[in-house]
Amino acid sequence: VEVEHDRSIRIPMNAQPDPNVHLKIQRLLAGRIGSHWTDQEARKGVYRRRLIKDVRANLMLGYIAKHWPSIPIVFVLRDPAEVVSSQLRMAKSGWKFDWPVHAEPVREHEGRRLSGWLSLLKESDDPAVRLINRWFYETTIALSEIVNKDNVIIISYNKLISDQNEWRSISAFIHRYGMKCSINPVAK
């Protein structure tokens, strides 16, 4: 499994670590990867801290939180209608957000819990319906595995863009892990 290229892979929180996949995730978290996508806005230099934004990591977030407990994870939860609206706008300029569901292995216990969403994903020709159900699938898996984890904070995107205290919460959370954090939110 190429973590760098197939970021939608599902790794359950309690999965037995596959040494190859585990090493690739470790390299990703250490910043030892490079590609057109990850480097497109990177400035040259040596950095001691990094922010990894990967919306497809939801399907392995519980695994990451469990196996790397010293890494603080900020899970930004955004309204699904806003997510899909943004994706549909971006799709008009060439971005691809759709998902080949048949390629995603669904474990039996997840299949029972998520069968309604997965059937809608597989059967619908409407991109908005497929994307909203994809959001629910990926978000439900992430939330079910990260809730009550010490190294995870869950923040509302809408509160984040409207409330300075949310930024202070993130900063305080990151400081608990011995990391310096100076967050200067950008006005919308």
Side-chain angles (χ1 to χ4, degrees), residues 156-175:
S156 160
Y157 176 82
N158 288 339
K159 285 181 77 175
L160 191 62
I161 62 174
S162 65
D163 184 353
Q164 292 287 327
N165 288 324
E166 289 298 300
W167 290 100
R168 289 185 192 96
S169 295
I170 293 171
S171 184
F173 172 71
I174 292 172
H175 278 286

Side-chain angles (χ1 to χ4, degrees), residues 49-63:
R49 296 182 300 262
R50 73 189 82 260
L51 168 72
I52 300 171
K53 176 194 178 246
D54 191 346
V55 296
R56 298 285 82 79
N58 285 10
L59 297 176
M60 63 178 89
L61 202 54
Y63 181 88

Side-chain angles (χ1 to χ4, degrees), residues 13-27:
M13 176 178 63
N14 293 319
Q16 191 69 357
D18 173 322
N20 292 327
V21 173
H22 196 83
L23 180 61
K24 288 177 182 181
I25 294 172
Q26 189 169 343
R27 288 183 60 234

Side-chain angles (χ1 to χ4, degrees), residues 57-84:
N58 285 10
L59 297 176
M60 63 178 89
L61 202 54
Y63 181 88
I64 292 170
K66 178 180 178 179
H67 291 278
W68 287 274
S70 64
I71 293 178
I73 297 171
V74 178
F75 186 83
V76 180
L77 188 58
R78 189 172 181 197
D79 179 291
E82 292 175 5
V83 171
V84 170

